Coordinates of all heavy atoms in Angstrom, one line a residue:
M1 N 0.9 -1.2 0.0 CA 0.0 0.0 0.0 C 0.9 1.2 -0.1 O 1.9 1.3 0.7 CB -0.9 -0.1 1.2 CG -2.0 1.0 1.2 SD -3.2 0.6 0.1 CE -4.1 -0.7 0.8
L2 N 0.5 2.2 -0.9 CA 1.2 3.5 -0.8 C 0.4 4.5 -0.2 O -0.7 4.5 -0.3 CB 1.5 3.8 -2.3 CG 2.3 3.1 -3.2 CD1 2.4 3.6 -4.6 CD2 3.6 2.6 -2.6
T3 N 1.1 5.4 0.5 CA 0.5 6.6 1.1 C 0.9 7.9 0.1 O 2.1 8.0 0.0 CB 0.9 6.9 2.5 OG1 0.5 5.7 3.3 CG2 0.3 8.2 3.0
I4 N -0.1 8.3 -0.6 CA 0.3 9.4 -1.5 C 0.2 10.8 -0.6 O -0.8 11.0 0.1 CB -0.9 9.5 -2.6 CG1 -1.0 8.2 -3.2 CG2 -0.6 10.7 -3.6 CD1 0.1 7.7 -4.3
K5 N 1.2 11.6 -0.8 CA 1.4 12.7 -0.1 C 1.7 14.0 -1.0 O 2.2 13.8 -2.1 CB 2.5 12.6 1.0 CG 2.4 11.6 2.0 CD 3.6 11.6 2.9 CE 3.5 10.5 3.9 NZ 4.7 10.5 4.8
C6 N 1.3 15.1 -0.6 CA 1.6 16.4 -1.3 C 3.1 16.6 -1.3 O 3.9 16.4 -0.4 CB 0.9 17.6 -0.6 SG 1.3 19.1 -1.3
A7 N 3.6 17.0 -2.4 CA 5.1 17.2 -2.6 C 5.5 18.5 -1.9 O 6.6 18.7 -1.5 CB 5.5 17.3 -4.1
A8 N 4.6 19.4 -1.8 CA 4.8 20.7 -1.2 C 4.8 20.7 0.3 O 5.7 21.1 1.0 CB 4.0 21.8 -1.6
C9 N 3.7 20.2 0.8 CA 3.6 20.3 2.4 C 3.6 18.8 3.1 O 3.6 18.8 4.2 CB 2.3 21.0 2.7 SG 0.8 20.1 2.4
K10 N 3.6 17.8 2.2 CA 3.7 16.4 2.8 C 2.5 16.0 3.5 O 2.6 15.0 4.2 CB 5.0 16.3 3.7 CG 6.3 16.9 3.3 CD 6.8 16.1 2.1 CE 8.3 16.6 1.8 NZ 8.3 17.7 0.8
R11 N 1.5 16.7 3.3 CA 0.1 16.2 4.0 C -0.3 14.9 3.2 O 0.0 14.7 2.0 CB -1.0 17.2 3.6 CG -1.9 17.5 4.7 CD -2.8 18.7 4.3 NE -2.7 19.8 5.2 CZ -2.5 21.0 4.9 NH1 -2.3 21.4 3.6 NH2 -2.5 21.9 5.7
K12 N -0.9 14.0 4.0 CA -1.4 12.7 3.3 C -2.7 13.1 2.6 O -3.5 13.7 3.1 CB -1.7 11.7 4.6 CG -0.6 11.2 5.3 CD -1.0 10.3 6.3 CE 0.1 9.8 7.2 NZ -0.4 9.0 8.3
L13 N -2.7 12.4 1.5 CA -3.9 12.6 0.6 C -4.8 11.5 0.5 O -5.9 11.4 0.8 CB -3.4 13.1 -0.8 CG -2.6 14.3 -0.8 CD1 -1.7 14.5 -2.2 CD2 -3.4 15.5 -0.6
W14 N -4.2 10.3 0.2 CA -4.9 9.0 0.2 C -4.0 7.8 0.2 O -2.8 8.0 -0.1 CB -6.0 8.9 -1.0 CG -5.3 9.1 -2.4 CD1 -4.7 8.1 -3.1 CD2 -5.3 10.2 -3.2 NE1 -4.3 8.6 -4.3 CE2 -4.7 9.9 -4.4 CE3 -5.9 11.5 -3.1 CZ2 -4.6 10.7 -5.5 CZ3 -5.8 12.4 -4.2 CH2 -5.1 12.0 -5.3
K15 N -4.5 6.7 0.5 CA -3.8 5.5 0.4 C -4.2 4.7 -0.9 O -5.4 4.7 -1.2 CB -4.1 4.5 1.6 CG -3.5 5.1 2.8 CD -3.4 4.0 3.9 CE -2.6 4.6 5.1 NZ -2.4 3.6 6.1
Y16 N -3.2 4.2 -1.5 CA -3.4 3.6 -2.8 C -2.8 2.1 -3.0 O -1.6 2.0 -2.6 CB -2.9 4.5 -3.9 CG -3.1 4.0 -5.3 CD1 -4.5 3.9 -5.7 CD2 -2.1 3.8 -6.2 CE1 -4.8 3.6 -7.0 CE2 -2.4 3.4 -7.5 CZ -3.8 3.2 -7.9 OH -4.0 2.8 -9.3
Q17 N -3.6 1.3 -3.5 CA -3.1 0.0 -3.7 C -2.5 0.0 -5.2 O -3.1 -0.2 -6.1 CB -4.3 -1.0 -3.7 CG -3.9 -2.5 -3.9 CD -3.9 -3.2 -2.6 OE1 -4.8 -2.9 -1.7 NE2 -3.0 -4.0 -2.3
K18 N -1.2 0.1 -5.1 CA -0.4 0.1 -6.4 C 0.0 -1.3 -6.8 O 0.6 -2.0 -6.0 CB 0.8 1.1 -6.3 CG 1.8 0.9 -7.5 CD 1.4 1.8 -8.6 CE 2.5 2.0 -9.7 NZ 2.3 0.9 -10.7
I19 N -0.3 -1.8 -8.0 CA 0.0 -3.0 -8.5 C 1.1 -2.8 -9.6 O 1.0 -2.1 -10.5 CB -1.2 -3.8 -9.0 CG1 -2.1 -4.0 -7.9 CG2 -0.8 -5.1 -9.6 CD1 -3.5 -4.5 -8.2
G20 N 2.2 -3.6 -9.4 CA 3.3 -3.5 -10.4 C 4.3 -2.5 -9.8 O 4.1 -1.7 -9.0
K21 N 5.4 -2.6 -10.5 CA 6.6 -1.8 -10.2 C 6.7 -0.4 -10.8 O 7.6 0.4 -10.5 CB 7.9 -2.5 -10.4 CG 8.1 -3.8 -9.5 CD 9.4 -4.5 -9.9 CE 9.5 -5.6 -9.0 NZ 10.8 -6.5 -9.2
G22 N 5.9 -0.2 -11.8 CA 5.9 1.1 -12.6 C 5.7 2.3 -11.7 O 5.4 2.3 -10.5
E23 N 6.0 3.4 -12.3 CA 5.7 4.7 -11.7 C 4.1 4.8 -11.5 O 3.4 4.2 -12.1 CB 6.1 5.9 -12.7 CG 7.7 6.0 -12.7 CD 8.0 7.3 -13.6 OE1 7.6 8.4 -13.1 OE2 8.4 7.1 -14.7
V24 N 3.9 5.7 -10.5 CA 2.5 6.0 -10.2 C 2.1 7.2 -11.2 O 2.4 8.3 -11.0 CB 2.3 6.5 -8.7 CG1 0.9 6.8 -8.5 CG2 2.9 5.3 -7.8
L25 N 1.5 6.8 -12.3 CA 1.1 7.8 -13.3 C -0.4 8.1 -13.1 O -0.8 9.2 -13.4 CB 1.3 7.3 -14.7 CG 2.8 6.9 -15.1 CD1 2.8 6.2 -16.4 CD2 3.7 8.1 -15.1
R26 N -1.2 7.2 -12.6 CA -2.6 7.4 -12.4 C -3.0 6.6 -11.2 O -2.4 5.6 -10.8 CB -3.4 6.9 -13.6 CG -3.0 5.7 -14.2 CD -3.8 5.4 -15.4 NE -3.4 6.2 -16.6 CZ -3.8 6.0 -17.8 NH1 -4.6 5.0 -18.1 NH2 -3.4 6.8 -18.8
C27 N -4.1 7.1 -10.5 CA -4.6 6.3 -9.4 C -6.0 5.9 -9.7 O -6.8 6.7 -9.9 CB -4.5 7.2 -8.1 SG -3.0 7.4 -7.3
Y28 N -6.2 4.7 -9.9 CA -7.6 4.1 -10.1 C -8.4 4.2 -8.9 O -7.9 3.8 -7.8 CB -7.5 2.7 -10.6 CG -6.9 2.6 -12.0 CD1 -5.5 2.4 -12.2 CD2 -7.7 2.9 -13.0 CE1 -5.0 2.4 -13.5 CE2 -7.2 2.8 -14.4 CZ -5.8 2.6 -14.5 OH -5.3 2.6 -15.8
K29 N -9.5 4.8 -8.9 CA -10.4 5.2 -7.7 C -10.8 3.9 -7.0 O -10.9 3.8 -5.8 CB -11.6 6.0 -8.2 CG -11.2 7.4 -8.6 CD -12.5 8.1 -9.0 CE -12.2 9.5 -9.4 NZ -13.3 10.1 -10.0
S30 N -10.9 2.8 -7.8 CA -11.4 1.5 -7.1 C -10.2 1.0 -6.3 O -10.5 0.1 -5.5 CB -11.7 0.4 -8.2 OG -10.6 0.3 -9.1
R31 N -9.0 1.5 -6.4 CA -7.9 1.0 -5.6 C -7.5 2.0 -4.5 O -6.6 1.8 -3.9 CB -6.7 0.5 -6.5 CG -7.1 -0.7 -7.3 CD -5.7 -1.3 -7.8 NE -5.8 -1.4 -9.2 CZ -4.7 -1.1 -10.0 NH1 -3.7 -0.5 -9.6 NH2 -4.9 -1.2 -11.3
I32 N -8.2 3.1 -4.4 CA -7.9 4.0 -3.3 C -8.6 3.4 -2.1 O -9.8 3.2 -2.1 CB -8.4 5.5 -3.7 CG1 -7.6 6.0 -4.8 CG2 -8.4 6.3 -2.4 CD1 -8.0 7.3 -5.4
D33 N -7.8 3.2 -1.1 CA -8.1 2.5 0.1 C -8.7 3.4 1.1 O -9.8 3.1 1.9 CB -7.0 1.8 0.6 CG -7.5 0.8 1.7 OD1 -8.2 -0.1 1.4 OD2 -7.0 0.9 2.8
R34 N -8.1 4.6 1.3 CA -8.5 5.6 2.3 C -8.2 6.9 1.8 O -7.2 7.2 1.3 CB -7.8 5.2 3.6 CG -8.1 6.1 4.7 CD -7.5 5.8 5.9 NE -7.8 6.9 6.8 CZ -7.3 7.0 8.1 NH1 -6.5 6.1 8.6 NH2 -7.5 8.0 8.8
E35 N -9.1 7.8 2.1 CA -8.9 9.2 1.6 C -8.7 10.1 2.8 O -9.4 10.0 3.8 CB -10.3 9.7 0.9 CG -10.4 8.9 -0.4 CD -11.6 9.5 -1.2 OE1 -12.6 9.7 -0.8 OE2 -11.3 9.8 -2.5
Y36 N -7.8 11.0 2.8 CA -7.5 11.9 3.8 C -8.1 13.2 3.2 O -9.1 13.3 2.6 CB -6.1 12.1 4.1 CG -5.5 10.7 4.6 CD1 -4.8 9.9 3.8 CD2 -5.6 10.4 5.9 CE1 -4.2 8.7 4.3 CE2 -5.1 9.2 6.5 CZ -4.4 8.4 5.7 OH -3.9 7.3 6.1
E37 N -7.4 14.3 3.5 CA -8.0 15.6 3.1 C -7.4 16.2 1.8 O -6.2 16.2 1.6 CB -7.6 16.6 4.3 CG -8.4 17.9 4.4 CD -7.8 18.9 5.5 OE1 -7.3 18.3 6.6 OE2 -7.7 20.1 5.1
Y38 N -8.3 16.7 1.0 CA -7.8 17.3 -0.4 C -9.0 18.0 -0.9 O -10.1 17.9 -0.3 CB -7.2 16.3 -1.4 CG -8.3 15.2 -1.9 CD1 -9.1 15.4 -2.8 CD2 -8.2 13.9 -1.3 CE1 -10.0 14.5 -3.3 CE2 -9.1 13.0 -1.7 CZ -9.9 13.3 -2.7 OH -10.8 12.2 -3.1
Q39 N -8.8 18.8 -2.0 CA -9.8 19.7 -2.4 C -10.0 19.4 -3.9 O -9.1 18.8 -4.5 CB -9.4 21.2 -2.3 CG -9.2 21.6 -0.9 CD -8.8 23.0 -0.7 OE1 -8.4 23.6 -1.7 NE2 -8.7 23.5 0.5
R40 N -11.2 19.8 -4.4 CA -11.4 19.7 -5.9 C -11.7 21.1 -6.4 O -12.4 21.9 -5.6 CB -12.6 18.9 -6.0 CG -12.4 17.5 -5.9 CD -13.7 16.7 -5.9 NE -13.4 15.3 -5.8 CZ -13.1 14.5 -6.8 NH1 -13.0 15.0 -8.0 NH2 -12.8 13.3 -6.6
Q41 N -11.3 21.3 -7.6 CA -11.6 22.5 -8.3 C -11.8 22.2 -9.8 O -10.9 21.9 -10.6 CB -10.3 23.5 -8.2 CG -10.6 24.9 -8.4 CD -9.4 25.7 -8.2 OE1 -8.5 25.9 -9.0 NE2 -9.2 26.4 -7.1
G42 N -13.1 22.0 -10.0 CA -13.6 21.4 -11.4 C -13.1 19.9 -11.4 O -13.3 19.2 -10.4
D43 N -12.2 19.7 -12.3 CA -11.7 18.2 -12.4 C -10.3 18.1 -11.8 O -9.7 17.1 -11.9 CB -11.7 17.7 -13.8 CG -10.9 18.5 -14.8 OD1 -10.4 19.6 -14.4 OD2 -10.8 18.1 -16.0
K44 N -9.8 19.2 -11.2 CA -8.5 19.2 -10.6 C -8.5 18.8 -9.1 O -9.5 19.0 -8.5 CB -7.9 20.5 -10.6 CG -7.3 21.0 -11.9 CD -6.7 22.4 -11.8 CE -6.3 23.0 -13.1 NZ -6.1 24.5 -12.8
I45 N -7.6 18.0 -8.8 CA -7.4 17.5 -7.4 C -6.3 18.4 -6.8 O -5.1 18.3 -7.3 CB -7.1 16.1 -7.3 CG1 -8.1 15.2 -8.0 CG2 -7.0 15.6 -5.9 CD1 -9.4 14.9 -7.5
L46 N -6.5 19.0 -5.7 CA -5.6 19.9 -5.1 C -5.4 19.4 -3.6 O -6.3 19.1 -2.9 CB -6.1 21.4 -5.1 CG -6.5 21.9 -6.4 CD1 -7.1 23.3 -6.2 CD2 -5.3 22.2 -7.3
C47 N -4.2 19.7 -3.2 CA -4.0 19.6 -1.7 C -4.6 20.8 -1.1 O -4.8 21.8 -1.7 CB -2.5 19.6 -1.5 SG -2.0 19.5 0.2
S48 N -4.8 20.6 0.2 CA -5.3 21.8 1.0 C -4.4 23.1 0.8 O -4.8 24.2 1.1 CB -5.5 21.4 2.4 OG -6.2 20.2 2.6
C49 N -3.1 22.8 0.7 CA -2.2 24.0 0.6 C -2.3 24.6 -0.9 O -1.6 25.6 -1.1 CB -0.7 23.5 0.8 SG 0.0 22.6 -0.5
G50 N -3.0 24.0 -1.8 CA -3.1 24.6 -3.2 C -2.3 23.9 -4.3 O -2.5 24.2 -5.4
K51 N -1.4 23.1 -3.8 CA -0.6 22.3 -4.8 C -1.5 21.4 -5.7 O -2.4 20.7 -5.2 CB 0.4 21.4 -4.1 CG 1.4 20.7 -5.0 CD 2.6 21.6 -5.4 CE 3.6 20.8 -6.2 NZ 4.5 21.8 -6.9
E52 N -1.3 21.4 -7.0 CA -2.0 20.6 -7.8 C -1.5 19.1 -7.7 O -0.4 18.9 -8.0 CB -2.1 21.0 -9.3 CG -2.8 22.3 -9.5 CD -2.8 22.7 -11.0 OE1 -2.7 21.9 -11.8 OE2 -3.2 23.9 -11.1
I53 N -2.3 18.2 -7.5 CA -2.0 16.8 -7.4 C -2.3 16.0 -8.6 O -1.5 15.1 -9.0 CB -2.6 16.1 -6.1 CG1 -2.5 17.1 -4.9 CG2 -2.3 14.7 -5.9 CD1 -1.0 17.2 -4.5
G54 N -3.5 16.1 -9.2 CA -3.9 15.4 -10.3 C -5.1 15.9 -10.9 O -5.6 16.9 -10.6
I55 N -5.6 15.1 -12.0 CA -6.8 15.5 -12.7 C -7.6 14.4 -12.7 O -7.3 13.2 -13.1 CB -6.4 15.9 -14.2 CG1 -5.5 17.2 -14.2 CG2 -7.7 16.2 -15.0 CD1 -4.7 17.5 -15.3
D56 N -8.9 14.6 -12.4 CA -9.9 13.5 -12.3 C -10.3 13.2 -13.6 O -10.9 14.0 -14.4 CB -11.2 14.1 -11.4 CG -12.1 12.9 -11.0 OD1 -12.2 11.9 -11.9 OD2 -12.7 13.0 -10.0
K57 N -10.1 11.9 -14.0 CA -10.5 11.4 -15.4 C -11.7 10.5 -15.3 O -11.8 9.7 -16.3 CB -9.3 10.7 -16.1 CG -8.1 11.7 -16.3 CD -8.5 12.7 -17.5 CE -7.2 13.5 -17.9 NZ -7.5 14.4 -18.9
G58 N -12.4 10.5 -14.3 CA -13.5 9.6 -14.1 C -13.2 8.4 -13.4 O -13.2 8.4 -12.1
A59 N -12.7 7.3 -14.0 CA -12.3 6.1 -13.3 C -11.0 6.2 -12.6 O -10.7 5.4 -11.6 CB -12.3 5.0 -14.2
H60 N -10.2 7.1 -13.0 CA -8.9 7.3 -12.5 C -8.4 8.7 -12.3 O -9.2 9.6 -12.9 CB -7.7 6.6 -13.2 CG -7.5 7.1 -14.6 ND1 -8.1 6.7 -15.7 CD2 -6.5 8.1 -14.8 CE1 -7.5 7.4 -16.7 NE2 -6.6 8.2 -16.1
I61 N -7.5 9.0 -11.5 CA -6.9 10.3 -11.3 C -5.6 10.4 -12.1 O -4.8 9.5 -11.8 CB -6.7 10.7 -9.9 CG1 -8.2 10.7 -9.2 CG2 -6.1 12.1 -9.7 CD1 -8.0 10.7 -7.7
K62 N -5.4 11.2 -13.1 CA -4.2 11.4 -13.7 C -3.3 12.1 -12.8 O -3.5 13.3 -12.5 CB -4.3 12.1 -15.1 CG -3.1 12.1 -16.0 CD -3.5 12.7 -17.3 CE -2.3 12.7 -18.2 NZ -1.6 14.1 -18.2
M63 N -2.2 11.7 -12.4 CA -1.3 12.3 -11.5 C -0.3 13.2 -12.0 O 0.2 13.0 -13.1 CB -0.6 11.2 -10.6 CG -1.4 10.2 -9.9 SD -2.6 10.9 -8.7 CE -1.4 11.3 -7.4
I64 N -0.1 14.3 -11.4 CA 0.9 15.2 -11.8 C 2.1 14.9 -11.1 O 2.2 15.0 -9.9 CB 0.4 16.8 -11.5 CG1 -0.9 17.1 -12.3 CG2 1.5 17.7 -11.7 CD1 -1.6 18.3 -11.8
K65 N 3.2 14.6 -11.9 CA 4.4 14.1 -11.4 C 5.0 14.9 -10.3 O 5.5 14.4 -9.3 CB 5.4 13.9 -12.6 CG 6.4 12.8 -12.2 CD 7.2 12.5 -13.5 CE 8.2 11.4 -13.2 NZ 9.0 11.2 -14.4
K66 N 5.0 16.2 -10.4 CA 5.8 17.1 -9.5 C 4.8 17.4 -8.3 O 5.4 18.2 -7.4 CB 6.3 18.4 -10.2 CG 7.4 18.2 -11.0 CD 7.8 19.4 -11.7 CE 7.0 19.8 -13.0 NZ 7.4 20.9 -13.7
G67 N 3.6 17.0 -8.3 CA 2.7 17.4 -7.3 C 2.5 16.5 -6.0 O 2.2 16.9 -5.0
F68 N 3.3 15.3 -6.3 CA 3.0 14.3 -5.1 C 4.3 13.5 -4.9 O 5.2 13.5 -5.8 CB 1.9 13.4 -5.3 CG 2.2 12.4 -6.5 CD1 2.5 11.1 -6.1 CD2 2.1 12.7 -7.7 CE1 2.6 10.1 -7.1 CE2 2.4 11.8 -8.7 CZ 2.6 10.5 -8.3
I69 N 4.4 13.0 -3.7 CA 5.4 12.0 -3.4 C 4.7 10.8 -2.7 O 3.5 10.9 -2.5 CB 6.4 12.5 -2.4 CG1 5.7 13.1 -1.1 CG2 7.2 13.6 -3.0 CD1 6.7 13.3 0.0
Y70 N 5.3 9.7 -2.5 CA 4.7 8.6 -1.7 C 5.6 7.8 -0.9 O 6.8 7.9 -1.1 CB 3.9 7.7 -2.8 CG 4.8 7.0 -3.8 CD1 5.5 5.8 -3.5 CD2 4.9 7.5 -5.1 CE1 6.4 5.3 -4.5 CE2 5.7 6.9 -6.0 CZ 6.4 5.8 -5.8 OH 7.2 5.2 -6.7
T71 N 5.0 7.1 0.0 CA 5.8 6.3 0.9 C 5.0 5.0 0.9 O 3.9 4.8 0.6 CB 5.9 6.8 2.4 OG1 4.5 7.0 2.8 CG2 6.6 8.0 2.4
G72 N 5.7 3.8 1.2 CA 5.1 2.6 1.4 C 5.7 1.7 0.2 O 6.6 2.1 -0.4
S73 N 5.0 0.6 0.0 CA 5.4 -0.4 -1.0 C 4.5 -0.7 -2.0 O 3.3 -0.8 -1.8 CB 5.9 -1.7 -0.3 OG 4.9 -2.2 0.5
K74 N 4.9 -1.1 -3.2 CA 4.1 -1.5 -4.3 C 3.9 -3.0 -4.3 O 4.7 -3.6 -3.6 CB 4.7 -1.1 -5.6 CG 4.9 0.4 -5.9 CD 5.8 0.7 -6.9 CE 6.0 2.2 -7.1 NZ 7.0 2.6 -8.1
Q75 N 2.7 -3.4 -4.8 CA 2.4 -4.8 -4.8 C 2.8 -5.5 -6.0 O 2.4 -4.9 -7.1 CB 1.0 -5.0 -4.5 CG 0.6 -6.4 -4.1 CD -0.9 -6.3 -3.7 OE1 -1.3 -5.5 -2.8 NE2 -1.6 -7.1 -4.3
N76 N 3.6 -6.5 -6.1 CA 4.0 -7.1 -7.5 C 3.0 -8.0 -7.9 O 2.2 -8.7 -7.1 CB 5.4 -7.9 -7.1 CG 6.5 -6.9 -6.8 OD1 6.5 -5.7 -7.5 ND2 7.3 -7.3 -6.0
Ligands
ZN1 ZN1 0.1 20.3 0.2

């Protein structure tokens, strides 16, 4: 399980079940395990501090590479 955090303020955003070793380019909503605090502005997902994290594409969130960091481990 990965904990997705804001790159700017390190606030926790959500927990994500990442499958495979690849980069986190998108987060499928069905695999988001727990949500913390974040904001929406249209289809944009923002941290409470205002940093852009991703774009809501319906079934998944397209992640903005510079917007987030993560801790935890990926599942193979
Ligand atoms: Zn932030």
Side-chain angles (χ1 to χ4, degrees):
M1 191 72 71
L2 300 181
T3 301
I4 306 288
K5 297 177 183 180
C6 172
C9 72
K10 314 291 192 274
R11 220 179 240 124
K12 289 180 186 173
L13 299 164
W14 57 79
K15 286 198 171 184
Y16 185 59
Q17 183 102 41
K18 170 83 170 91
I19 297 169
K21 288 181 178 173
E23 284 184 71
V24 180
L25 301 174
R26 46 183 71 169
C27 282
Y28 291 93
K29 289 178 184 171
S30 57
R31 287 198 240 134
I32 293 178
D33 191 63
R34 179 175 171 182
E35 294 184 309
Y36 299 97
E37 199 186 318
Y38 60 84
Q39 298 177 353
R40 286 175 177 277
Q41 204 175 82
D43 60 355
K44 282 185 195 164
I45 308 284
L46 307 168
C47 178
S48 310
C49 75
K51 183 85 177 165
E52 289 187 17
I53 305 300
I55 298 160
D56 193 326
K57 295 286 188 183
H60 71 266
I61 297 161
K62 183 172 185 267
M63 301 300 285
I64 295 168
K65 207 173 179 180
K66 284 179 281 183
F68 73 101
I69 56 166
Y70 59 82
T71 56
S73 55
K74 296 168 184 173
Q75 193 173 307
N76 293 323

